[in-house]
Amino acid sequence: MGNEDKIIYEEHAMKSIAASLRRMGLAVLTVLLVISSFAVFAPTAAAAEYTIKMGTDRGMLAFEPNKLTVKAGDTVKFMNNKVPPHNVVFDSGHSANKDLAVKATHKQMMMSPGQSFEVSFADATPGEYPFYCEPHRGAGMAGKIIVE
Ligand SMILES: [Cu+2]
């Protein structure tokens, strides 16, 4: 190999090394971008499940808690507790999303303690979702779920 040939050969080698480094750099950058986008957009905590008791532990005609703040994606379980029967009617006229309010309403009376049903707030419009218990509305058995 002549001196000139050697130089050309080395240049080629350098170029291909530089090219593969660039490719590797791109790959690393892509991986970093993917990881960082996950870190930014992935929820830091899994969807939560909350429980609202129907009738307080002390036997009051109230929901416990009667005010609950959740995030879209969370689930709220209404559990029959004391002094039944109870039901849950969402006030669709005053809810952030009427369809969800109608869907979440559980008109059927729950007679025995421990009975429950769940309301999913997946893809829920943020805002307030007021609800009440039909037989005990007059006694003030009402509550509100706020979706952030
Ligand atoms: Cu009730």
Side-chain angles (χ1 to χ4, degrees), residues 54-55 61-63 82-87 133-137 141:
M54 305 166 73
L61 291 171
F63 290 99
K82 295 274 178 83
V83 284
H86 302 292
N87 72 356
C133 165
E134 257 175 340
H136 305 126
R137 191 183 193 181
M141 188 167 174

Side-chain angles (χ1 to χ4, degrees), residues 90-93 95-105 119 125 129:
F90 278 85
D91 187 347
S92 58
S95 288
N97 184 299
K98 191 178 186 238
D99 291 339
L100 177 55
V102 170
K103 202 175 136 199
T105 291
V119 177
T125 312
Y129 293 83

Side-chain angles (χ1 to χ4, degrees), residues 71-123:
K71 290 187 169 61
D74 291 347
T75 301
V76 177
K77 182 188 199 176
F78 283 89
M79 200 186 70
N80 208 11
N81 189 33
K82 295 274 178 83
V83 284
H86 302 292
N87 72 356
V88 178
V89 176
F90 278 85
D91 187 347
S92 58
H94 294 97
S95 288
N97 184 299
K98 191 178 186 238
D99 291 339
L100 177 55
V102 170
K103 202 175 136 199
T105 291
H106 192 280
K107 277 251 182 193
Q108 200 186 335
M109 291 299 158
M110 288 200 268
M111 309 305 290
S112 32
Q115 280 181 293
S116 67
F117 72 98
E118 289 185 358
V119 177
S120 167
F121 286 90
D123 305 319

Side-chain angles (χ1 to χ4, degrees), residues 21-76:
L21 275 177
R22 237 177 285 133
R23 270 197 298 274
M24 262 174 61
L26 266 179
V28 168
L29 206 68
T30 306
V31 167
L32 284 177
L33 272 174
V34 168
I35 289 171
S36 64
S37 70
F38 267 111
V40 170
F41 296 114
T44 45
E49 188 187 284
Y50 297 93
T51 299
I52 294 178
K53 290 177 184 172
M54 305 166 73
T56 71
D57 289 343
R58 290 169 156 198
M60 302 287 286
L61 291 171
F63 290 99
E64 192 173 49
N66 61 10
K67 194 178 166 194
L68 179 66
T69 301
V70 305
K71 290 187 169 61
D74 291 347
T75 301
V76 177

